[in-house]
Amino acid sequence: MKKKIIFATTNEGKMKEIRMILDHPDFELVSLKDAGIHVHVEETGKTFEENAILKAKAICEATGEMVLADDSGLEVDYINKEPGVYSARYMGEDTPYDVKNQSIIDRLKDAKGEERSARFVCVIAAAFPDGRVVTARGTIEGVIGYEEKGTHGFGYDPILYVPEYGMTTGEMEPEMKNQISHRGKALRQMRKELGL
Ligand code: IMP
């Protein structure tokens, strides 16, 4: 029988990406929605690790199953690593991303070259019914662009320019972004940690 692993997200896009990377014959990966779980966990942590662990542990305790959870965001060095763990909440959850992105570009108007360094960070936490917790972290490094570019992806993708590839993550095809993204790296690292 396949062993069930719950991934603590309601985001189907993320779930698709996660299934592609964590595909394994012995495990069935299910989202909170698939598992019929409606537990809201407040992200009160100050780090991506704290938030990912908070979510994984809470759902693990509620279900008695092994749970994976992630927390991710954009860190911009020039503005003290903002928006960081507040990436989704920056300027308000419902503010459109073109407004959030323009705000970050404006706050960096005096920053030149390497001063514009930034990265996406993703931390995945695994919580086991015996109380054990494992985390894995992935990043993708870039610089904040001078204008939004690209229509792929979501969120802050149009402003993270990755010099190595000469484009923003918003200009990358999804398959390419998955190969090099913070989430892809963290998921593959977690796969190793779990011996899958
Ligand atoms: P959460 O991990 O679902 O809480 O999402 C954190 C927030 O970080 C998202 O809502 C986006 O604003 C931002 N973010 C995380 N990963 C990405 C990405 O791959 N591209 C663009 N924005 C991202």
Side-chain angles (χ1 to χ4, degrees):
M1 201 177 89
K2 282 195 177 193
K3 195 170 161 21
K4 186 156 81 178
I5 302 178
I6 297 171
F7 203 105
T9 184
T10 47
N11 182 325
E12 277 308 310
K14 261 193 200 173
M15 205 58 212
K16 209 170 141 196
E17 200 175 304
I18 291 158
R19 277 207 184 93
M20 270 165 68
I21 297 168
L22 283 186
D23 181 42
H24 192 281
D26 297 342
F27 294 93
E28 184 194 359
L29 208 55
V30 295
S31 69
L32 287 182
K33 206 168 118 209
D34 302 334
I37 299 163
H38 304 280
V39 181
H40 179 73
V41 185
E42 211 64 58
E43 295 187 12
T44 53
K46 293 205 162 47
T47 62
F48 296 109
E49 274 79 4
E50 279 174 24
N51 280 335
I53 292 171
L54 261 172
K55 283 188 266 185
K57 277 194 123 174
I59 311 287
C60 178
E61 278 159 20
T63 59
E65 305 276 355
M66 177 190 163
V67 175
L68 295 175
D70 80 329
D71 195 41
S72 58
L74 174 71
E75 282 183 355
V76 183
D77 294 327
Y78 193 75
I79 51 175
N80 263 319
K81 299 197 192 306
E82 273 190 62
V85 290
Y86 301 103
S87 291
R89 291 164 276 175
Y90 179 64
M91 301 180 83
E93 248 349 294
D94 297 329
T95 301
Y97 271 92
D98 54 348
V99 176
K100 298 190 192 210
N101 284 335
Q102 193 55 50
S103 150
I104 290 175
I105 293 170
D106 291 346
R107 291 176 69 191
L108 264 69
K109 67 178 187 328
D110 296 326
K112 308 243 166 349
E114 282 173 18
E115 287 177 337
R116 304 181 71 86
S117 60
R119 69 203 56 77
F120 285 133
V121 180
C122 175
V123 172
I124 314 255
F128 300 88
D130 65 4
R132 212 157 39 96
V133 168
V134 177
T135 61
R137 172 181 265 255
T139 59
I140 176 166
E141 296 285 335
V143 291
I144 297 300
Y146 292 92
E147 59 185 5
E148 285 194 288
K149 275 192 178 157
T151 52
H152 293 299
F154 66 101
Y156 299 100
D157 276 326
I159 60 167
L160 189 77
Y161 178 83
V162 186
E164 220 180 316
Y165 293 89
M167 62 177 91
T168 69
T169 53
E171 291 176 292
M172 293 177 185
E173 294 295 333
E175 292 75 17
M176 176 179 178
K177 188 185 160 196
N178 283 352
Q179 289 292 319
I180 61 166
S181 77
H182 50 315
R183 195 165 296 106
K185 287 178 188 162
L187 281 167
R188 285 189 289 272
Q189 175 64 29
M190 177 54 77
R191 205 188 145 120
K192 246 193 247 166
E193 299 276 346
L194 298 176
L196 298 181

